[in-house]
Amino acid sequence: MQLNHVPMDPGGSGGDLVSNRRDWAKAGEAVGSLREDIGKAFGKLADGQKGLGEDSGCLTAAAQKDVYDSWETYVKSVSARCGRLSGLLEKAGSDQLRTDEAVEVEIGNLDVAYSDTPAVGGQEKGR
């Protein structure tokens, strides 16, 4: 076994990796929609909790309140994570596009700075 080289046929399908801003934005929107769904579900959970009161004197109600409080913390955390991930995915697509555009601009600048100059001497018109 030799570890310092790539095998002759590393396998895989080959080809180029293709990625575009629209796909990144779509992924970000999908994760963002999860956040909206989580918010709706939590609203229903909160509605179901109404009427128990803060201190009803019932052990079952107190236990349910503890469970509700833990779920509230968890749901808010998941929602925040979805929001942050959504933003990161959209930013990745935007950054990727900007990188591609920046590279194109720099290559264009090279073309301008180092464009071929017309040949000098040795050639006459009409030949």
Side-chain angles (χ1 to χ4, degrees):
M1 174 186 276
Q2 188 173 355
L3 299 176
N4 64 351
H5 79 285
V6 177
M8 294 300 288
D9 182 16
S13 62
D16 294 331
L17 175 64
V18 178
S19 178
N20 62 51
R21 183 178 186 178
R22 185 186 66 220
D23 291 340
W24 285 101
K26 193 174 180 181
E29 288 171 10
V31 172
S33 73
L34 290 175
R35 186 176 190 192
E36 293 170 16
D37 292 343
I38 290 168
K40 290 176 188 175
F42 183 71
K44 290 179 181 180
L45 182 65
D47 288 345
Q49 186 68 20
K50 289 180 182 172
L52 287 177
E54 286 296 316
D55 185 19
S56 65
C58 175
L59 292 178
T60 304
Q64 183 176 347
K65 174 75 169 112
D66 288 343
V67 171
Y68 172 80
D69 289 344
S70 71
W71 271 99
E72 179 181 26
T73 300
Y74 179 75
V75 167
K76 285 181 179 179
S77 175
V78 169
S79 179
R81 186 176 294 186
C82 286
R84 187 161 182 202
L85 179 58
S86 174
L88 289 173
L89 290 170
E90 290 178 12
K91 184 178 181 319
S94 179
D95 288 350
Q96 181 183 15
L97 178 66
R98 286 191 197 129
T99 300
D100 290 346
E101 289 173 346
V103 169
E104 286 181 30
V105 167
E106 290 301 318
I107 290 173
N109 290 342
L110 284 174
D111 288 345
V112 170
Y114 299 103
S115 63
D116 289 338
T117 57
V120 179
Q123 295 182 4
E124 294 179 2
K125 291 184 178 182
R127 282 194 184 177

